Amino acid sequence: MINKSTNQLAFFEDGFLLDVFPVATGRLPHYTPEGNWQVVNKLVYPSWRHPDGGPLIPGGVPENPLGPRWLGLNALGTAGSSYGVHGNNNLYSIGTHASSGCIRMHNEDILWLYDRVSVGTEVQIISSGQDLLSLKKYDHVAVNGVEQEFARHLGPVQAGEVTYLPLRPLSAALGCRLTWDGSTNSLLAANIDREVQLTIGSKKVTANNVTVQTGDAPLLLENTIYIPDYYLKNFFGADFLGEDNRVLNIKAPVDPYGGMLVKYHLNVLINGKTIDLPESLTPLSDGENLLLPLRPLCAAAGASAGWNKDTESVEIKTGGRLLSIPLNGSAARLDNTVLDQKAHIFARDGASFVSLAFLQDVLGFDAELDYDARTLKISSKKKARIAVRVLPPVQLSFKMA
């Protein structure tokens, strides 16, 4: 959409308003014809001849006023050589009424637009007092006072009353680790407090194992995942503080771990019995290791877990043996023997989480992790016993689904 009165061009892709550009239009109102037209040809470095005659100026030279690209329009029955959207060699004309009828753009803008516009694209030329920027609620987003950086011309996009935001540029501010599954067109966004699963084109969103129906679905635009802005409030715990100078200000929970530790919901079964874990004890992932809540796991496996405040260590007692895991990350001890295996211990809100591979090794149980079904099956003896000898580390790698 091109508005001659405000010298603006709004670009829509699949019904979504991506961006609004400043342009130059005709010196007189009738020079740039209003109406509904189409792009009928595309040219790279178009040549140009002055309307009053003279030599043909090849494309790509400073004297050529058409710039690097041309999108020809069939306005007034022409064949795409008389009216077009193109670059320019007069920077200061953009935003004014300066042309003989064409629509001039900054060269960097026409280069971006050219790659996204195909022959047959509809073009509407109007003359209205409406600022086309008003078709978007806002252009920029600030999270916790820091304005977020988006790819050029790919910030907030508008679809009617709903604003969509690119999730990946916001993920660091939200403390989220993103995992894409191309086979299902789904995305897992997880941090220490939330695990959110989205599917392109689906209005069902699962957050911390609870599935809800939303009014709008995530979409894939320009190979970027966009979500409705209210997803940040509903599923990521953010608060909208309002808009100022076309900037949406958001307050989001600060993740002190910066996405290094994230939730990973699992169905946990020990000896065939499902262990009902509260949300605060949801297993965690550090990207390589699956961390399990220690106390309920030990209780279900027949061991006891406690806290030694003098040594600041978690202690597991079973079968007459004592396993001590220092919270500071130093080597664990089995009775008086230092273990080579790393526990990858992590404590939060009074709960301790320890690597599955470490527990499997020293407690001697079997573990089967089904990534697709999100199920962990643990088989142990009726009474867990800490291994008598120090075993080499078990290579149980953890991968994101």
Side-chain angles (χ1 to χ4, degrees), residues 137-142 147 240-250:
K137 287 184 180 179
Y138 42 83
D139 299 309
H140 308 279
V141 177
E147 187 165 326
F240 285 14
L241 304 181
E243 302 164 27
D244 182 30
N245 294 325
R246 304 193 61 77
V247 178
L248 173 65
N249 291 290
I250 295 175

Side-chain angles (χ1 to χ4, degrees), residues 139-150 169-174:
D139 299 309
H140 308 279
V141 177
V143 180
N144 297 334
V146 178
E147 187 165 326
Q148 303 300 294
E149 294 185 4
F150 301 118
L170 296 171
S171 60
L174 299 172

Side-chain angles (χ1 to χ4, degrees), residues 44-98:
V44 175
Y45 290 109
S47 58
W48 175 80
R49 191 190 306 273
H50 194 282
D52 296 333
L56 186 69
I57 307 299
V61 300
E63 297 78 15
N64 189 310
L66 301 184
R69 300 290 187 270
W70 169 275
L71 299 171
L73 309 181
N74 63 351
L76 301 180
T78 57
S81 59
S82 300
Y83 298 97
V85 182
H86 60 80
N88 82 103
N89 63 352
N90 182 2
L91 174 67
Y92 301 102
S93 70
I94 302 301
T96 71
H97 298 95

